[in-house]
Amino acid sequence: MQQYDVIIVGGSYAGLSGAMALGRSLRTTLVIDGGDPCNKQTPHSHNFITHDGDTPAEIAQLARKQVAAYPTVSFLQGNVTDVKPGFIVTTADGQQFQAKKLLFATGIRDMMPDNIKGIAECWGITVIHCPYCHGYEVRGQATGIMANGDMAFEFAKLINNLTKKLTLFTNGPSTIDPEKEAKLKARGIHINPKAIAEVVHEQGKISSIVFKDGSSEPLQALYAKLPFEQKTKLPEQLGCSLDEHGFIIVDGFSKTNVPGIYAAGDNTTMFRSVANAIAMGNKAGAMINKELVDDTF
């Protein structure tokens, strides 16, 4: 069984950034990745200085090329299915490896509503989650927000700065506090409680939203706060604690509550962006190296 200082589960932005920090510290590191990033449909990545407007795939490809220049870093395409005590990692095809430390950079899986047609096909294109990643590109356009309650109110305040053609689709009776609802209406933000049936689109670009009563409304962009789940249950099975939102809890050093296990990227925070994932991975790699140094001394 081949042994490594660190095995990184997940080889997207946080994982690759962590691998670079470890590779530059001469740590033998194995990056295992299944090749299914959550932003695979997203045409362009923004708000990432030096790479603003590049495709996510271009950024990841260049990152992997640069990380591969460090001889102590290896890559394996596959999915980790089991982790035994002593950090014995097993992949779906039966390969086994052992590490001193683990870094989970596995991200999250967005759960598409099965009762609204077209959402999945538009996800990351014109059905979007983040105004910092996508908002500038749809500024001033006829925009919707699919959310309800306090989350809808806070999100609407944020998006209102980017467009005045804004409608809040609560997809059922509004649960927004009446006082807050009055504030939204005073700002010219419409609230539509109709149940949504379909997002009409052409290759992911929205043209309208259709309701279950048969009516429709023209639309060019839709922000959606979708539920999510951890992409792998392994951290939880290993005893890593999750917060009330479902994110892996880490401290300021990227450590979970389980000794030797770290986590970084979208699986730990609601602030989802390529730039943030890279920063978190970089810190995690440095902190893991520091712990390995401390262990040795």
Side-chain angles (χ1 to χ4, degrees), residues 92-103:
D93 61 359
Q95 297 186 72
Q96 287 192 321
F97 309 92
Q98 189 169 22
K100 299 173 184 175
K101 311 290 178 185
L102 286 183
L103 170 58

Side-chain angles (χ1 to χ4, degrees), residues 38-148:
C38 66
N39 61 359
K40 56 183 177 290
Q41 288 190 169
T42 305
H44 300 284
S45 179
H46 290 284
N47 205 33
F48 178 17
I49 198 165
T50 73
H51 287 285
D52 191 44
D54 290 352
T55 68
E58 287 172 339
I59 298 170
Q61 184 177 14
L62 178 58
R64 181 167 175 141
K65 178 182 177 181
Q66 292 178 345
V67 173
Y70 296 94
T72 58
V73 180
S74 304
F75 297 91
L76 177 70
Q77 183 166 350
N79 292 301
V80 175
T81 56
D82 188 43
V83 179
K84 290 287 193 297
F87 300 148
I88 298 172
V89 172
T90 303
T91 61
D93 61 359
Q95 297 186 72
Q96 287 192 321
F97 309 92
Q98 189 169 22
K100 299 173 184 175
K101 311 290 178 185
L102 286 183
L103 170 58
F104 282 99
T106 41
I108 58 175
R109 180 181 292 107
D110 299 296
M111 301 169 70
M112 302 294 145
D114 54 14
N115 60 340
I116 302 178
K117 185 179 177 183
I119 289 279
E121 292 82 358
C122 296
W123 185 242
I125 304 172
T126 53
V127 175
I128 50 184
H129 77 286
C130 173
Y132 298 103
C133 299
H134 308 287
Y136 184 83
E137 283 62 48
V138 296
R139 67 195 183 283
Q141 296 183 11
T143 301
I145 299 172
M146 188 173 71
N148 210 343

Side-chain angles (χ1 to χ4, degrees), residues 241-259:
S241 298
L242 306 183
D243 66 16
E244 67 273 20
H245 303 292
F247 295 106
I248 300 172
I249 297 174
V250 294
D251 65 11
F253 300 101
S254 306
K255 297 172 69 172
T256 71
N257 60 298
V258 178

Side-chain angles (χ1 to χ4, degrees), residues 211-284:
F211 305 98
K212 289 185 178 179
D213 66 2
S215 62
S216 64
E217 185 171 327
L219 204 64
Q220 293 173 286
L222 178 66
Y223 289 89
K225 287 290 188 181
L226 299 180
F228 71 90
E229 61 182 2
Q230 289 287 328
K231 206 165 188 180
T232 174
K233 301 293 185 184
L234 287 172
E236 193 174 3
Q237 291 170 5
L238 291 165
C240 298
S241 298
L242 306 183
D243 66 16
E244 67 273 20
H245 303 292
F247 295 106
I248 300 172
I249 297 174
V250 294
D251 65 11
F253 300 101
S254 306
K255 297 172 69 172
T256 71
N257 60 298
V258 178
I261 300 182
Y262 290 71
D266 291 353
N267 56 2
T268 66
T269 178
M270 63 178 63
F271 189 64
R272 299 173 63 184
S273 74
V274 171
N276 192 50
I278 290 171
M280 294 179 76
N282 179 266
K283 180 171 72 171

